[in-house]
Amino acid sequence: MKRRDFLAGGPLGLAASAALHRPLFAAQTAPREPGLKITAVEPWILKTGTLLVLLRTSEGLTGIGECSPMNIRVIAAMIEQALAPKILGRNPLDINLLWEAMFYSTYKLGVMGIQPEAIAGIDIALWDLFGKVTRQPLHRLLGGRRRERVRMYASIGGGASTSIEDMARRASEAVSRGFTAIKIRMDWGNQRTDVRPEQDWQLISTVRRVVGSKIDLGFDPNNGYSVSTAIRMGRRLQDQLGIVHYEEPVPQHDYRGLAQVAAALDMPVAAGEQEYTLWQFRDLIEVAQVDIVQPDLVKCAGITEAVRIAALAAAHDRILVPHQTQPSVGNTANLHFTAAFSRTENPQEFNYDMEKAEALRKVFPNMPVLEKGHMTVPDGPGLGLTLDEAELARLRA
Ligand code: CA
């Protein structure tokens, strides 16, 4: 193969050949250049409580991204007022430079929550555009998919406000849909330290009895236990119920407490949905000693930062199972990401809210579907999602 052909045809061909034809320092000093440009940055708030980001370009392509939906209007304002001015008119393929321009210009607004969640939506849309320009699926831009079909787990929330009977019914319904893995989340409100561990035990052990021993079962107390309760409950959960994923047992800021829990138990302890940057994940791994690392693409400043977090997790031989609760763009981006980077066959999170997923399917008609508890990683350019703009406008809040 000729060198030129390789550059043009490879997954990173367009970016690589552009870099070769540019003076060495041009990328750092002159990001504004003729050619492809970002012409509009549009946050879309939907009736489903979803925040999408559309990036329009001079060539008529549209990149699609999504942000965490917490404090949705504040994040949308952050995108419009602080981030859009940093990227309008620039080449969307300079993804890392755009990421740095957004991140460091808003650093003092706080590198947890709103800031990285706003950047996440734009960053995912930039990667979608990269795929559309190069006509390659996102998983290939990330280096190739290790698996075409990804086993998903049904992530079932509301444990604190749902009766044991209703929770057992929802769990067995998920199994009858074909899921072979389930996680029960407690979703505590503000009152969340050792509220009623004995009742939690009744709930999760009933779920285990109903779904049977062959289902992979995870438990997420949503930061609801003190260290001693987390360890005492954890021993019962691993020894008597065979729990395979114990998520955020203690308050998220208690890294040393999390390390105590992880050291005391044999089952893997998971956390990461409340961490946002590479440095926070460094501390989560080195200080909190978690076994399963859970970056969330719609929260942790997007795919660009998540790739670095995946490398960090690999360097420490930790299990990478991202957090993900958004069924359309977030889940699709996560399928590409997890197919490329997760080195385990652990099932990946799918928020068990089928009503919301079906409402969003009108906007994205080719969204991945559940097939016996699995989803296929899309093969179209970028995220591989087709966007119905009329339905999008109809769903606008
Ligand atoms: Ca969780």
Side-chain angles (χ1 to χ4, degrees), residues 169-191:
R169 188 182 46 73
R170 291 195 74 197
S172 56
E173 183 192 290
V175 172
S176 63
R177 277 182 186 271
F179 283 104
T180 56
I182 290 172
K183 181 178 83 188
I184 303 296
R185 316 194 307 261
M186 293 312 295
D187 292 342
W188 295 112
N190 293 327
Q191 191 198 8

Side-chain angles (χ1 to χ4, degrees), residues 183 185 220 222 247-248 273 323:
K183 181 178 83 188
R185 316 194 307 261
D220 179 359
N222 284 120
E247 184 168 316
E248 292 199 307
E273 69 177 271
H323 177 266

Side-chain angles (χ1 to χ4, degrees), residues 23 98 242 277 339 362 391:
L98 298 179
T277 63
K362 291 201 172 93
E391 289 293 340

